[in-house]
């Protein structure tokens, strides 16, 4: 039995991102399952690396009930981040570069070291050097921002851009910090870091475990986005976005008109 055309699917998704043009869902038509979807993701990211981008971290997706409900899927997933996706704190993005961009507040970790061989998963969080407030800009390449689980995995979990605010030492507790997402100075979403798997540090454990299944190990100096603390909000031209996480501070970005 012939399996899905991994390279062909990756090319379709890559072209959709390059052209900022939505495409129909692919999983049902092509027979993608979760494992094949991660193979597509690998090929899709390699397409970016082949043109000079560098891997700078990993991100989690669907780590909150709000996100799962918003997109209609029910499993935690992970994707890759490249240097081209990173936007300086306070910097701008051209909304025209995306199909239907949305923003969400997150918690970011900076890894200080690689996990030791055989190190228990639960101790990996001690490898974190610093923590920061962050914003992720997600942009599904599928029409109407709707997809199945394999679809969104193949699409690198809708990764498009991200902003990381000031780094600070990891506080004693990260499990119930207040989170605000503001658009043009008005509160658009209110949440808590408890929405990220109960504690953002659990997202790091999950990311290491899930990525490890596919032979991916995090590296020293990488950024790890733990997942959204609230539902995502559409990004409109000219908008100013600020994400604030209690004890950690704020990160901001502008949508260029």
């Amino acid at each position: 039995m012939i399996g899905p055309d991994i390279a062909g699917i990756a090319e379709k998704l890559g072209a959709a991102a390059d052209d900022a043009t939505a495409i129909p869902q692919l999983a049902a038509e092509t027979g993608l399952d979760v494992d094949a979807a991660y193979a597509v993701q690998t090929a899709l990211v390699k397409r970016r690396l082949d043109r000079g981008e560098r891997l700078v971290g990993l991100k989690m997706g669907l780590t909150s009930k709000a996100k799962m409900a918003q997109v209609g899927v029910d499993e935690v997933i992970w994707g890759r981040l490249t240097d081209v996706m990173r936007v300086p704190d306070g910097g701008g993005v051209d909304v025209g570069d995306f199909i239907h961009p949305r923003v969400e507040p997150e918690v970011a970790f900076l890894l200080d070291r690689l996990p030791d061989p055989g190190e228990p998963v639960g101790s990996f969080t001690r490898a974190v050097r610093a923590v920061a407030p962050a914003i992720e800009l997600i942009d599904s390449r599928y029409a109407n921002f709707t997809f199945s689980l394999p679809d969104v995995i193949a699409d690198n979990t809708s990764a498009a851009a991200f902003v990381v605010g000031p780094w600070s030492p990891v506080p004693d507790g990260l499990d119930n910090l207040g989170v605000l997402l503001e658009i043009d100075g008005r509160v658009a979403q209110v949440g808590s870091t408890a929405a990220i798997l109960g504690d953002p540090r659990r997202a790091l454990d999950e990311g290491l475990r899930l990525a490890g299944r596919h032979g991916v190990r995090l590296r020293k100096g990488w950024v790890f986005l733990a997942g959204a603390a609230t539902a995502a909000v559409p990004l409109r031209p000219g908008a100013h976005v600020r994400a604030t996480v209690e004890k950690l501070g704020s990160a901001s970005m502008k949508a260029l008109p």
Side-chain angles (χ1 to χ4, degrees):
M1 181 177 178
I2 299 175
D5 179 5
I6 302 298
I9 297 170
E11 183 59 32
K12 287 181 180 178
L13 286 165
D18 292 344
D19 300 337
T21 302
I23 60 174
Q25 293 184 29
L26 297 169
E29 174 187 347
T30 60
L32 272 185
D33 60 13
V34 167
D35 286 339
Y38 276 115
V40 171
Q41 182 189 123
T42 298
L44 178 65
V45 173
K46 182 178 183 300
R47 186 179 183 273
R48 300 181 71 117
L49 302 182
D50 287 346
R51 60 191 187 194
E53 298 183 35
R54 294 182 297 104
L55 281 176
V56 295
L58 294 186
K59 55 153 288 188
M60 298 299 287
L62 310 180
T63 52
S64 73
K65 290 182 179 179
K67 283 295 299 179
M68 290 182 185
Q70 187 176 34
V71 300
V73 297
D74 59 0
E75 183 174 309
V76 175
I77 56 178
W78 63 277
R80 281 111 158 160
L81 302 171
T82 76
D83 59 326
V84 172
M85 296 178 188
R86 187 161 187 170
V87 178
D89 189 16
V93 296
D94 187 342
V95 175
D97 289 341
F98 308 103
I99 301 168
H100 29 214
R102 299 178 179 181
V103 288
E104 52 193 27
E106 303 221 4
V107 171
F109 293 118
L110 179 64
L111 294 190
D112 193 37
R113 64 172 177 84
L114 292 177
D116 296 326
E119 184 175 1
V121 170
S123 72
F124 285 170
T125 52
R126 293 203 293 269
V128 173
R129 180 191 313 170
V131 64
I135 300 168
E136 186 180 8
L137 188 159
I138 55 174
D139 186 38
S140 173
R141 269 52 74 163
Y142 301 112
N144 302 316
F145 219 112
T146 58
F147 40 73
S148 67
L149 189 65
D151 278 314
V152 68
I153 291 170
D155 190 28
N156 195 27
T157 66
S158 304
F162 68 99
V163 176
V164 177
W167 294 108
S168 60
V170 182
D172 290 338
L174 286 173
D175 57 332
N176 193 23
L177 303 180
V179 177
L180 287 179
L181 180 67
E182 297 172 280
I183 307 294
D184 295 329
R186 297 180 180 178
V187 175
Q189 291 283 332
V190 177
S192 166
T193 56
I196 307 171
L197 295 181
D199 185 326
R201 289 170 291 194
R202 291 179 185 161
L204 179 57
D205 283 351
E206 280 291 291
L208 288 161
R209 181 179 63 82
L210 295 172
R213 288 182 182 175
H214 297 269
V216 177
R217 295 188 68 209
L218 277 73
R219 304 175 189 174
K220 181 177 181 179
W222 272 15
V223 172
F224 182 90
L225 296 182
T230 72
V233 174
L235 182 64
R236 308 300 184 194
H240 184 274
V241 181
R242 180 177 301 276
T244 302
V245 181
E246 182 184 358
K247 295 184 180 180
L248 303 184
S250 299
S252 67
M253 65 181 295
K254 302 171 185 175
L256 303 178

